[in-house]
Amino acid sequence: MNTTINKITRFKKLMIQLRLVFTKPTKRAKYLKKKNIFYHFGKRVFWQPYKIPSEPFLVSIGDNVKVASDVLFITHDVIHAVFMHETNEKFNHFYGTVSIGNNVAIGSKAIIMYGVKIGSNVVVAAGSVVTKDVPDGAIVGGNPARIIGEYEKLLEKRKSFDKCLAANASMEQILKDYWNSNI
């Protein structure tokens, strides 16, 4: 774990984000781990987004986590600015951490809010807005996200899936299986 808060300059953050645009997701993850900008960044992480959180040192990501495109990790809000303008009083920024367990898949365009802990063996559906902690073994979806299934049941269902959708299948086989299935 990164025990020091590693705040990054805007320039360094821009350079990291530019590098992310030109690399594959597995290489992006290795690059982010090497830069040591997250509180914790586990092994076998797949990082599809081009963006990194504004305060990556407040985000902890476990092992075998797959993050799809356009996922946002929100680590602060801007409400203090509204209050300051309205009342002419000083308000502090409000920050919070995001913690992701092991064996987690986060679907495209999901938003993970500050103060949230996502357990292990979890699936976050695409487009979900996670505002509360997610227990181990849950599948969550919606806005706000709620439990819609169980990780173990999905695992068993996928084990029994007999269609040819594997990465080593030819495109012709995948298309044939897809169009001839009753999915």
Side-chain angles (χ1 to χ4, degrees):
M1 281 192 190
N2 182 0
T3 56
T4 61
I5 293 179
N6 185 11
K7 289 191 176 184
I8 57 176
T9 65
R10 287 182 187 197
F11 178 76
K12 184 176 177 183
K13 185 176 177 183
L14 175 65
M15 297 310 295
I16 289 170
Q17 287 181 308
L18 280 173
R19 174 78 184 260
L20 295 180
V21 170
F22 297 109
T23 56
K24 295 178 181 178
T26 50
K27 287 188 177 183
R28 285 183 197 144
K30 287 178 185 175
Y31 177 74
L32 290 170
K33 186 172 178 83
K34 178 181 161 189
K35 287 296 183 182
N36 200 32
I37 62 170
F38 287 86
Y39 181 77
H40 176 75
F41 200 84
K43 300 175 204 152
R44 296 177 314 282
V45 174
F46 176 93
W47 185 270
Q48 185 70 36
Y50 295 131
K51 295 179 183 177
I52 57 175
S54 56
E55 294 86 23
F57 52 86
L58 295 175
V59 178
S60 176
I61 298 175
D63 296 336
N64 194 33
V65 173
K66 311 309 179 201
V67 182
S69 62
D70 298 325
V71 171
L72 296 176
F73 294 90
I74 307 298
T75 54
H76 71 279
D77 65 30
V78 295
I79 296 170
H80 68 282
V82 173
F83 294 156
M84 285 176 20
H85 182 74
E86 179 186 350
T87 65
N88 291 324
E89 295 178 40
K90 182 165 176 56
F91 288 86
N92 292 324
H93 289 77
F94 190 86
Y95 294 93
T97 60
V98 174
S99 178
I100 312 294
N102 299 324
N103 306 317
V104 176
I106 303 174
S108 183
K109 298 187 185 282
I111 299 173
I112 314 300
M113 296 300 294
Y114 57 83
V116 166
K117 291 182 181 179
I118 295 177
S120 294
N121 301 324
V122 168
V123 175
V124 176
S128 299
V129 179
V130 183
T131 60
K132 295 180 181 173
D133 290 355
V134 178
D136 291 349
I139 299 173
V140 297
N143 180 6
R146 60 180 179 76
I147 296 175
I148 59 173
E150 297 175 28
Y151 181 91
E152 289 298 322
K153 286 183 180 178
L154 178 61
L155 175 64
E156 291 307 312
K157 183 177 181 180
R158 290 289 177 100
K159 282 181 181 178
S160 67
F161 194 67
D162 63 351
K163 296 296 177 193
C164 183
L165 296 176
N168 61 353
S170 69
M171 184 55 72
E172 292 80 17
Q173 186 63 46
I174 291 170
L175 291 171
K176 179 182 171 198
D177 284 351
Y178 177 78
W179 290 113
N180 293 326
S181 71
N182 293 323
I183 297 176

PDB file of all heavy atoms in Angstrom, residues 1-2 11 17 22 26 52-53 55 59-60 81 100 108 113 127 131-132 134 140 145 153 160 163 172-173:
ATOM      1  N   MET A   1       0.827  -1.192   0.000  1.00  0.00           N
ATOM      2  CA  MET A   1       0.000   0.000   0.000  1.00  0.00           C
ATOM      3  C   MET A   1       0.867   1.250   0.000  1.00  0.00           C
ATOM      4  O   MET A   1       1.933   1.278   0.574  1.00  0.00           O
ATOM      5  CB  MET A   1      -0.907   0.036   1.214  1.00  0.00           C
ATOM      6  CG  MET A   1      -2.101  -0.825   1.106  1.00  0.00           C
ATOM      7  SD  MET A   1      -3.253  -0.431   2.423  1.00  0.00           S
ATOM      8  CE  MET A   1      -4.350  -1.783   2.183  1.00  0.00           C
ATOM      9  N   ASN A   2       0.361   2.252  -0.614  1.00  0.00           N
ATOM     10  CA  ASN A   2       1.039   3.541  -0.638  1.00  0.00           C
ATOM     11  C   ASN A   2       0.723   4.254   0.674  1.00  0.00           C
ATOM     12  O   ASN A   2      -0.398   4.648   0.908  1.00  0.00           O
ATOM     13  CB  ASN A   2       0.532   4.347  -1.844  1.00  0.00           C
ATOM     14  CG  ASN A   2       1.215   5.676  -1.989  1.00  0.00           C
ATOM     15  OD1 ASN A   2       2.081   6.025  -1.196  1.00  0.00           O
ATOM     16  ND2 ASN A   2       0.833   6.404  -3.005  1.00  0.00           N
ATOM     17  N   PHE A  11       0.086  19.194 -14.205  1.00  0.00           N
ATOM     18  CA  PHE A  11       0.873  18.827 -15.377  1.00  0.00           C
ATOM     19  C   PHE A  11       1.146  17.327 -15.386  1.00  0.00           C
ATOM     20  O   PHE A  11       0.987  16.664 -16.408  1.00  0.00           O
ATOM     21  CB  PHE A  11       2.191  19.611 -15.414  1.00  0.00           C
ATOM     22  CG  PHE A  11       3.056  19.237 -16.581  1.00  0.00           C
ATOM     23  CD1 PHE A  11       2.752  19.692 -17.869  1.00  0.00           C
ATOM     24  CD2 PHE A  11       4.162  18.422 -16.413  1.00  0.00           C
ATOM     25  CE1 PHE A  11       3.539  19.337 -18.946  1.00  0.00           C
ATOM     26  CE2 PHE A  11       4.952  18.057 -17.485  1.00  0.00           C
ATOM     27  CZ  PHE A  11       4.645  18.516 -18.764  1.00  0.00           C
ATOM     28  N   GLN A  17      -2.628  11.126 -18.096  1.00  0.00           N
ATOM     29  CA  GLN A  17      -3.845  10.902 -18.879  1.00  0.00           C
ATOM     30  C   GLN A  17      -3.547  10.818 -20.370  1.00  0.00           C
ATOM     31  O   GLN A  17      -4.154  10.016 -21.073  1.00  0.00           O
ATOM     32  CB  GLN A  17      -4.880  11.971 -18.568  1.00  0.00           C
ATOM     33  CG  GLN A  17      -5.477  11.757 -17.194  1.00  0.00           C
ATOM     34  CD  GLN A  17      -6.532  12.771 -16.827  1.00  0.00           C
ATOM     35  OE1 GLN A  17      -6.315  13.966 -16.918  1.00  0.00           O
ATOM     36  NE2 GLN A  17      -7.664  12.279 -16.392  1.00  0.00           N
ATOM     37  N   PHE A  22      -3.042   6.447 -25.270  1.00  0.00           N
ATOM     38  CA  PHE A  22      -2.307   5.758 -26.321  1.00  0.00           C
ATOM     39  C   PHE A  22      -1.845   4.350 -25.950  1.00  0.00           C
ATOM     40  O   PHE A  22      -0.984   3.799 -26.613  1.00  0.00           O
ATOM     41  CB  PHE A  22      -1.099   6.615 -26.739  1.00  0.00           C
ATOM     42  CG  PHE A  22      -1.516   7.933 -27.319  1.00  0.00           C
ATOM     43  CD1 PHE A  22      -1.318   9.108 -26.613  1.00  0.00           C
ATOM     44  CD2 PHE A  22      -2.141   7.998 -28.548  1.00  0.00           C
ATOM     45  CE1 PHE A  22      -1.714  10.324 -27.136  1.00  0.00           C
ATOM     46  CE2 PHE A  22      -2.548   9.206 -29.084  1.00  0.00           C
ATOM     47  CZ  PHE A  22      -2.337  10.367 -28.382  1.00  0.00           C
ATOM     48  N   THR A  26      -4.609  -3.144 -20.357  1.00  0.00           N
ATOM     49  CA  THR A  26      -3.720  -3.856 -19.426  1.00  0.00           C
ATOM     50  C   THR A  26      -2.425  -3.077 -19.222  1.00  0.00           C
ATOM     51  O   THR A  26      -1.891  -3.034 -18.118  1.00  0.00           O
ATOM     52  CB  THR A  26      -3.410  -5.274 -19.926  1.00  0.00           C
ATOM     53  OG1 THR A  26      -2.986  -5.205 -21.294  1.00  0.00           O
ATOM     54  CG2 THR A  26      -4.630  -6.175 -19.823  1.00  0.00           C
ATOM     55  N   ILE A  52      -8.350   9.546 -14.812  1.00  0.00           N
ATOM     56  CA  ILE A  52      -8.063   9.073 -13.467  1.00  0.00           C
ATOM     57  C   ILE A  52      -8.818   9.976 -12.500  1.00  0.00           C
ATOM     58  O   ILE A  52      -9.178  11.102 -12.860  1.00  0.00           O
ATOM     59  CB  ILE A  52      -6.544   9.071 -13.172  1.00  0.00           C
ATOM     60  CG1 ILE A  52      -5.937  10.455 -13.379  1.00  0.00           C
ATOM     61  CG2 ILE A  52      -5.833   8.030 -14.010  1.00  0.00           C
ATOM     62  CD1 ILE A  52      -4.476  10.553 -12.998  1.00  0.00           C
ATOM     63  N   PRO A  53      -9.115   9.495 -11.310  1.00  0.00           N
ATOM     64  CA  PRO A  53      -9.840  10.343 -10.350  1.00  0.00           C
ATOM     65  C   PRO A  53      -9.054  11.609 -10.031  1.00  0.00           C
ATOM     66  O   PRO A  53      -7.823  11.626 -10.111  1.00  0.00           O
ATOM     67  CB  PRO A  53      -9.960   9.459  -9.107  1.00  0.00           C
ATOM     68  CG  PRO A  53      -9.688   8.073  -9.570  1.00  0.00           C
ATOM     69  CD  PRO A  53      -8.802   8.178 -10.763  1.00  0.00           C
ATOM     70  N   GLU A  55      -8.484  12.910  -7.203  1.00  0.00           N
ATOM     71  CA  GLU A  55      -7.620  12.594  -6.050  1.00  0.00           C
ATOM     72  C   GLU A  55      -7.398  11.084  -6.011  1.00  0.00           C
ATOM     73  O   GLU A  55      -8.006  10.381  -5.213  1.00  0.00           O
ATOM     74  CB  GLU A  55      -8.247  13.066  -4.727  1.00  0.00           C
ATOM     75  CG  GLU A  55      -8.363  14.566  -4.589  1.00  0.00           C
ATOM     76  CD  GLU A  55      -9.642  15.120  -5.205  1.00  0.00           C
ATOM     77  OE1 GLU A  55     -10.621  14.384  -5.351  1.00  0.00           O
ATOM     78  OE2 GLU A  55      -9.636  16.299  -5.557  1.00  0.00           O
ATOM     79  N   VAL A  59      -8.256   6.538  -3.577  1.00  0.00           N
ATOM     80  CA  VAL A  59      -8.877   5.358  -4.188  1.00  0.00           C
ATOM     81  C   VAL A  59      -7.992   4.140  -3.980  1.00  0.00           C
ATOM     82  O   VAL A  59      -6.790   4.177  -4.255  1.00  0.00           O
ATOM     83  CB  VAL A  59      -9.118   5.586  -5.698  1.00  0.00           C
ATOM     84  CG1 VAL A  59      -9.727   4.348  -6.343  1.00  0.00           C
ATOM     85  CG2 VAL A  59     -10.007   6.801  -5.918  1.00  0.00           C
ATOM     86  N   SER A  60      -8.616   3.056  -3.500  1.00  0.00           N
ATOM     87  CA  SER A  60      -7.929   1.790  -3.300  1.00  0.00           C
ATOM     88  C   SER A  60      -8.600   0.736  -4.177  1.00  0.00           C
ATOM     89  O   SER A  60      -9.817   0.546  -4.100  1.00  0.00           O
ATOM     90  CB  SER A  60      -8.009   1.380  -1.826  1.00  0.00           C
ATOM     91  OG  SER A  60      -7.434   0.109  -1.642  1.00  0.00           O
ATOM     92  N   ALA A  81     -18.569  25.383  -2.358  1.00  0.00           N
ATOM     93  CA  ALA A  81     -18.508  26.625  -3.143  1.00  0.00           C
ATOM     94  C   ALA A  81     -19.869  27.313  -3.208  1.00  0.00           C
ATOM     95  O   ALA A  81     -19.952  28.546  -3.161  1.00  0.00           O
ATOM     96  CB  ALA A  81     -18.001  26.324  -4.545  1.00  0.00           C
ATOM     97  N   ILE A 100     -12.291  -0.515  -3.426  1.00  0.00           N
ATOM     98  CA  ILE A 100     -12.777  -1.606  -4.275  1.00  0.00           C
ATOM     99  C   ILE A 100     -12.086  -2.888  -3.831  1.00  0.00           C
ATOM    100  O   ILE A 100     -10.851  -2.937  -3.770  1.00  0.00           O
ATOM    101  CB  ILE A 100     -12.457  -1.340  -5.766  1.00  0.00           C
ATOM    102  CG1 ILE A 100     -12.855   0.071  -6.204  1.00  0.00           C
ATOM    103  CG2 ILE A 100     -13.062  -2.415  -6.656  1.00  0.00           C
ATOM    104  CD1 ILE A 100     -14.314   0.355  -6.192  1.00  0.00           C
ATOM    105  N   SER A 108     -19.255  -0.134 -17.864  1.00  0.00           N
ATOM    106  CA  SER A 108     -19.058   1.159 -18.504  1.00  0.00           C
ATOM    107  C   SER A 108     -19.998   2.236 -17.965  1.00  0.00           C
ATOM    108  O   SER A 108     -21.165   1.979 -17.708  1.00  0.00           O
ATOM    109  CB  SER A 108     -19.270   0.992 -20.008  1.00  0.00           C
ATOM    110  OG  SER A 108     -19.027   2.182 -20.686  1.00  0.00           O
ATOM    111  N   MET A 113     -19.303   6.851  -5.999  1.00  0.00           N
ATOM    112  CA  MET A 113     -19.235   8.058  -5.175  1.00  0.00           C
ATOM    113  C   MET A 113     -18.281   7.869  -3.989  1.00  0.00           C
ATOM    114  O   MET A 113     -17.985   6.746  -3.586  1.00  0.00           O
ATOM    115  CB  MET A 113     -20.627   8.409  -4.650  1.00  0.00           C
ATOM    116  CG  MET A 113     -21.622   8.771  -5.747  1.00  0.00           C
ATOM    117  SD  MET A 113     -21.138  10.184  -6.742  1.00  0.00           S
ATOM    118  CE  MET A 113     -21.205  11.476  -5.514  1.00  0.00           C
ATOM    119  N   GLY A 127     -23.566   1.891 -16.151  1.00  0.00           N
ATOM    120  CA  GLY A 127     -24.436   3.034 -15.912  1.00  0.00           C
ATOM    121  C   GLY A 127     -24.927   3.197 -14.488  1.00  0.00           C
ATOM    122  O   GLY A 127     -25.689   4.105 -14.198  1.00  0.00           O
ATOM    123  N   THR A 131     -23.857   4.743  -4.512  1.00  0.00           N
ATOM    124  CA  THR A 131     -23.845   5.757  -3.463  1.00  0.00           C
ATOM    125  C   THR A 131     -23.699   5.154  -2.068  1.00  0.00           C
ATOM    126  O   THR A 131     -23.511   5.890  -1.106  1.00  0.00           O
ATOM    127  CB  THR A 131     -25.141   6.589  -3.495  1.00  0.00           C
ATOM    128  OG1 THR A 131     -26.253   5.715  -3.295  1.00  0.00           O
ATOM    129  CG2 THR A 131     -25.295   7.324  -4.815  1.00  0.00           C
ATOM    130  N   LYS A 132     -23.811   3.828  -1.968  1.00  0.00           N
ATOM    131  CA  LYS A 132     -23.717   3.141  -0.676  1.00  0.00           C
ATOM    132  C   LYS A 132     -22.801   1.943  -0.817  1.00  0.00           C
ATOM    133  O   LYS A 132     -22.579   1.436  -1.914  1.00  0.00           O
ATOM    134  CB  LYS A 132     -25.103   2.679  -0.219  1.00  0.00           C
ATOM    135  CG  LYS A 132     -26.053   3.816   0.064  1.00  0.00           C
ATOM    136  CD  LYS A 132     -27.398   3.308   0.511  1.00  0.00           C
ATOM    137  CE  LYS A 132     -28.321   4.496   0.762  1.00  0.00           C
ATOM    138  NZ  LYS A 132     -29.675   4.086   1.026  1.00  0.00           N
ATOM    139  N   VAL A 134     -21.321  -1.737  -1.028  1.00  0.00           N
ATOM    140  CA  VAL A 134     -21.809  -2.934  -1.714  1.00  0.00           C
ATOM    141  C   VAL A 134     -21.216  -4.147  -1.002  1.00  0.00           C
ATOM    142  O   VAL A 134     -19.993  -4.262  -0.899  1.00  0.00           O
ATOM    143  CB  VAL A 134     -21.398  -2.931  -3.199  1.00  0.00           C
ATOM    144  CG1 VAL A 134     -21.856  -4.196  -3.888  1.00  0.00           C
ATOM    145  CG2 VAL A 134     -21.928  -1.687  -3.911  1.00  0.00           C
ATOM    146  N   VAL A 140     -24.863  -5.262  -8.424  1.00  0.00           N
ATOM    147  CA  VAL A 140     -25.666  -4.061  -8.223  1.00  0.00           C
ATOM    148  C   VAL A 140     -25.867  -3.342  -9.549  1.00  0.00           C
ATOM    149  O   VAL A 140     -25.036  -3.420 -10.453  1.00  0.00           O
ATOM    150  CB  VAL A 140     -25.039  -3.098  -7.184  1.00  0.00           C
ATOM    151  CG1 VAL A 140     -24.976  -3.743  -5.814  1.00  0.00           C
ATOM    152  CG2 VAL A 140     -23.679  -2.609  -7.620  1.00  0.00           C
ATOM    153  N   ALA A 145     -27.658   2.663  -7.233  1.00  0.00           N
ATOM    154  CA  ALA A 145     -27.442   1.221  -7.373  1.00  0.00           C
ATOM    155  C   ALA A 145     -28.068   0.461  -6.210  1.00  0.00           C
ATOM    156  O   ALA A 145     -28.036   0.910  -5.066  1.00  0.00           O
ATOM    157  CB  ALA A 145     -25.948   0.925  -7.439  1.00  0.00           C
ATOM    158  N   LYS A 153     -24.247 -16.918  -8.475  1.00  0.00           N
ATOM    159  CA  LYS A 153     -25.235 -17.408  -9.447  1.00  0.00           C
ATOM    160  C   LYS A 153     -24.824 -17.043 -10.876  1.00  0.00           C
ATOM    161  O   LYS A 153     -24.972 -17.848 -11.791  1.00  0.00           O
ATOM    162  CB  LYS A 153     -26.622 -16.858  -9.130  1.00  0.00           C
ATOM    163  CG  LYS A 153     -27.259 -17.502  -7.930  1.00  0.00           C
ATOM    164  CD  LYS A 153     -28.657 -16.990  -7.694  1.00  0.00           C
ATOM    165  CE  LYS A 153     -29.276 -17.655  -6.482  1.00  0.00           C
ATOM    166  NZ  LYS A 153     -30.625 -17.151  -6.191  1.00  0.00           N
ATOM    167  N   SER A 160     -21.922 -22.667 -17.310  1.00  0.00           N
ATOM    168  CA  SER A 160     -22.750 -23.584 -18.086  1.00  0.00           C
ATOM    169  C   SER A 160     -23.108 -23.049 -19.471  1.00  0.00           C
ATOM    170  O   SER A 160     -23.746 -23.737 -20.243  1.00  0.00           O
ATOM    171  CB  SER A 160     -24.040 -23.899 -17.313  1.00  0.00           C
ATOM    172  OG  SER A 160     -24.838 -22.728 -17.228  1.00  0.00           O
ATOM    173  N   LYS A 163     -22.411 -21.438 -25.567  1.00  0.00           N
ATOM    174  CA  LYS A 163     -22.209 -20.732 -26.831  1.00  0.00           C
ATOM    175  C   LYS A 163     -20.745 -20.360 -27.002  1.00  0.00           C
ATOM    176  O   LYS A 163     -20.013 -20.182 -26.046  1.00  0.00           O
ATOM    177  CB  LYS A 163     -23.065 -19.455 -26.891  1.00  0.00           C
ATOM    178  CG  LYS A 163     -24.544 -19.738 -26.861  1.00  0.00           C
ATOM    179  CD  LYS A 163     -24.961 -20.516 -28.077  1.00  0.00           C
ATOM    180  CE  LYS A 163     -26.426 -20.856 -28.024  1.00  0.00           C
ATOM    181  NZ  LYS A 163     -26.838 -21.822 -28.975  1.00  0.00           N
ATOM    182  N   GLU A 172     -16.555 -15.209 -37.365  1.00  0.00           N
ATOM    183  CA  GLU A 172     -17.635 -15.916 -38.067  1.00  0.00           C
ATOM    184  C   GLU A 172     -18.395 -16.839 -37.112  1.00  0.00           C
ATOM    185  O   GLU A 172     -19.612 -16.903 -37.141  1.00  0.00           O
ATOM    186  CB  GLU A 172     -17.077 -16.721 -39.262  1.00  0.00           C
ATOM    187  CG  GLU A 172     -16.556 -15.874 -40.393  1.00  0.00           C
ATOM    188  CD  GLU A 172     -15.148 -15.332 -40.148  1.00  0.00           C
ATOM    189  OE1 GLU A 172     -14.414 -15.843 -39.260  1.00  0.00           O
ATOM    190  OE2 GLU A 172     -14.799 -14.349 -40.826  1.00  0.00           O
ATOM    191  N   GLN A 173     -17.659 -17.563 -36.246  1.00  0.00           N
ATOM    192  CA  GLN A 173     -18.295 -18.465 -35.285  1.00  0.00           C
ATOM    193  C   GLN A 173     -19.112 -17.694 -34.260  1.00  0.00           C
ATOM    194  O   GLN A 173     -20.223 -18.084 -33.919  1.00  0.00           O
ATOM    195  CB  GLN A 173     -17.248 -19.338 -34.580  1.00  0.00           C
ATOM    196  CG  GLN A 173     -17.849 -20.395 -33.684  1.00  0.00           C
ATOM    197  CD  GLN A 173     -18.688 -21.406 -34.449  1.00  0.00           C
ATOM    198  OE1 GLN A 173     -18.271 -21.906 -35.490  1.00  0.00           O
ATOM    199  NE2 GLN A 173     -19.873 -21.693 -33.950  1.00  0.00           N
TER     200      GLN A 173
END
